[in-house]
């Protein structure tokens, strides 16, 4: 992973245009805005216009290995800290979480997934979310114009609902720890009852039905100075990779010891199960196939750029590799990950990829704020370009039924797209950093981990809604 450039959007607009609800903070008042809404708007504006010296010494969100950014300032403006504004805006609202466990009945009473009550304050919440969209820091490995990407994006109807919240739990016990701001594949689900995530105390197992947390790989059992950067669970074994090129494995059954494989001295950026072992991507550009029985690299391939993520088709016929390059690669696992075809179109480095269960589609997510979906039968151009709201797309995953594609932004939004024409979607919205998201193996549940230094942490379970017309319901 290369050093990124942070675009500082500290020079915020002093008005809300028509698409943001018609609220004006630039002179007059919009006709459809209430007095309370204008009061909140003015308070938000005052926070933005405060001098940056006022916030010296305050801490932003947790991102322990964020690069030292190069700030790009708008002409004529001040370099106010983006996250200082968000912190103060959150403090202005003064809304601590009201409850620690949220159900569908609580949602009907105006409480959101993180336990905040917003009934009667919907306009303030909407305005706060709009400002988060405007000021969230964007990191670019390769400088580019985000609007160029958005012009290529498909128009998507995001008003649909495929998954509905069933249960969420908040608090420190539910905090999925993000060690690196660019690596967000930290949640794995092996069933509707077994969700694994990285916690300050080690790898935890969450059962949303029994409502309990269980430690499956304690921090004390891991090697010294172990800082997790990759996580996966397969066949009753949990695998954890760290910044020093180590992979640790432990069985979920019994009290067995932790096995360790040292692959190198560079960071493990991603780990994923394959039919031949565990594919481990590293920052040096090397991809190792780890033999689980021997806990050693059975095969290895080297790429010209740091590799951030790999995916392999269930049949093993082909795979996908993405990293610090403007093109992803379709590779042949049977030929030592030899390149078969490039996937072009991204304007920045990619950090995530996934292959559909029918092995027809490949999805890649990049820091250029887009997910590009390719048909492997004709990979020259993407069949769909999908854009988010905040910035980089940090995590993508297909459901086991093949009917949905999950795309997680770094914060606030997880998008669920229908894979038929990629014209309909659901936006799962909250406030805070996304640590990871995953479908259950039966595709009936969606799990999201929210980890944030300002807002309440949460682990949330969304269950599949069966439509009245079940012709669009994939089993």
């Amino acid at each position: 992973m290369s050093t990124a450039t942070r675009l500082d959007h500290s020079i915020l607009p002093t008005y809300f245009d028509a698409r943001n609800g018609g609220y004006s903070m630039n002179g007059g008042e919009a006709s459809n805005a209430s007095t309370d809404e204008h009061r909140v708007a003015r308070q938000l504006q005052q926070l933005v216009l405060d001098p940056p010296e006022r916030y010296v010494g305050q801490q932003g969100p947790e991102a322990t290995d964020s690069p030292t950014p190069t700030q790009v300032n708008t002409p004529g403006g001040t370099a106010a800290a983006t996250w200082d504004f968000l912190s103060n805006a959150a403090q202005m609202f003064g809304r601590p979480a009201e409850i620690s466990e949220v159900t569908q009945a609580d949602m009907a009473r105006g409480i959101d997934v993180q336990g905040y009550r917003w009934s009667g304050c919907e306009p303030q919440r909407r305005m706060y979310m709009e400002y988060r969209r405007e000021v969230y820091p964007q990191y670019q490995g390769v400088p580019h114009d985000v609007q160029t990407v958005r012009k290529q994006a498909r128009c998507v109807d995001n008003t649909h609902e495929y998954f509905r919240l069933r249960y969420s739990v908040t608090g420190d016990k539910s905090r999925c720890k993000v060690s690196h701001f660019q690596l967000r594949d930290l949640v794995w689900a092996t069933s509707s009852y077994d969700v694994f995530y990285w916690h300050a105390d080690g790898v935890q197992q969450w059962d949303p039905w029994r409502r309990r947390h269980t430690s499956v790989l304690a921090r004390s059992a891991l090697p010294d100075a172990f800082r997790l950067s990759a996580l996966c669970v397969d066949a009753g074994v949990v695998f954890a990779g760290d910044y020093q090129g180590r992979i640790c494995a432990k069985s979920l059954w019994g009290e067995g010891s932790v096995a360790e494989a040292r692959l190198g001295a560079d960071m493990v950026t991603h780990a994923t199960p394959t039919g031949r072992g565990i594919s481990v991507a590293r920052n040096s550009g090397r991809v190792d196939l780890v033999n689980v029985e021997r806990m050693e690299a059975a095969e290895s391939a080297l790429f010209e750029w740091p590799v951030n993520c790999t995916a392999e088709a269930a049949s093993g016929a082909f795979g996908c590799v993405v990293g610090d390059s403007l093109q992803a690669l379709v590779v042949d696992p049977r030929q030592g990950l030899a390149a078969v075809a490039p996937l072009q179109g991204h304007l920045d480095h990619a950090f995530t990829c996934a292959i559909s269960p029918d092995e027809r589609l490949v999805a890649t997510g990049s820091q250029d704020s887009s997910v590009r979906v390719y048909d492997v039968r004709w990979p020259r151009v993407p069949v769909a370009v999908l854009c988010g709201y905040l910035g980089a797309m940090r995590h993508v995953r297909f459901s086991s039924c093949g009917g949905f594609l999950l795309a997680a932004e770094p914060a606030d939004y997880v998008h669920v797209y229908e894979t038929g024409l990629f014209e309909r979607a659901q936006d799962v919205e909250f406030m805070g950093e996304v640590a990871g998201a995953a479908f259950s193996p039966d595709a009936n549940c969606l799990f999201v981990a929210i980890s944030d230094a300002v807002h309440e942490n949460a682990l949330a379970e969304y269950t599949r809604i069966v439509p009245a017309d079940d012709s669009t319901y994939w089993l």
Side-chain angles (χ1 to χ4, degrees), residues 183 185 188 229-230 268-272 279-282 307-311:
L183 306 178
D185 189 8
W188 279 76
S229 57
V268 174
T269 55
H270 189 257
T272 186
S279 177
V280 179
R282 291 157 55 193
V307 178
N308 297 326
C309 185
T310 65

Side-chain angles (χ1 to χ4, degrees), residues 151-163:
K151 290 177 182 179
Q152 303 171 358
R154 176 165 298 190
C155 183
V156 177
D157 179 6
N158 61 0
T159 61
H160 296 270
E161 186 180 26
Y162 309 118
F163 293 85

Side-chain angles (χ1 to χ4, degrees), residues 161-359:
E161 186 180 26
Y162 309 118
F163 293 85
R164 184 174 297 164
L165 181 76
R166 189 195 71 86
Y167 173 72
S168 71
V169 58
T170 65
D172 291 338
K173 189 63 176 179
S174 304
R175 181 173 187 175
C176 182
K177 185 175 177 62
V178 177
S179 297
H180 195 285
F181 76 107
Q182 292 174 314
L183 306 178
R184 304 298 183 95
D185 189 8
L186 301 178
V187 174
W188 279 76
T190 57
S191 74
S192 299
Y193 313 94
D194 301 286
V195 183
F196 300 88
Y197 64 99
W198 175 246
H199 186 266
D201 296 332
V203 180
Q204 301 285 314
Q205 177 185 10
W206 177 50
D207 186 340
W209 291 86
R210 296 183 180 180
R211 303 186 179 185
R212 67 182 184 184
H213 302 262
T214 306
S215 176
V216 296
L217 179 55
R219 186 76 175 250
S220 59
L222 294 169
D224 293 338
F226 189 92
R227 300 177 61 193
L228 183 135
S229 57
L231 175 70
C232 72
V233 181
D234 181 58
V237 180
V238 57
F239 300 89
D242 81 335
Y243 280 61
Q244 302 181 34
R246 297 175 291 188
I247 282 286
C248 294
K250 183 181 182 298
S251 173
L252 297 176
W253 317 111
E255 300 294 333
S257 60
V258 176
E260 177 185 347
R262 183 176 291 274
L263 304 177
D266 56 312
M267 180 192 299
V268 174
T269 55
H270 189 257
T272 186
T274 70
R276 303 170 298 131
I278 302 298
S279 177
V280 179
R282 291 157 55 193
N283 201 40
S284 62
R286 190 170 295 278
V287 178
D288 299 304
L289 182 67
V290 176
N291 184 303
V292 178
E293 294 182 355
R294 299 181 178 180
M295 284 301 291
E296 62 182 19
E299 299 178 14
S300 184
L302 182 62
F303 293 85
E304 297 178 353
W305 25 262
V307 178
N308 297 326
C309 185
T310 65
E312 185 173 317
S315 66
F318 69 95
C320 181
V321 177
V322 300
D324 288 3
S325 173
L326 296 185
Q327 66 178 13
L329 293 176
V330 176
V331 297
D332 187 349
R334 299 165 296 187
Q335 300 295 328
L337 298 184
V340 175
L343 302 177
Q344 300 177 340
H346 283 302
L347 302 183
D348 204 340
H349 301 158
F351 281 84
T352 180
C353 61
I355 299 175
S356 62
D358 62 3
E359 303 184 7

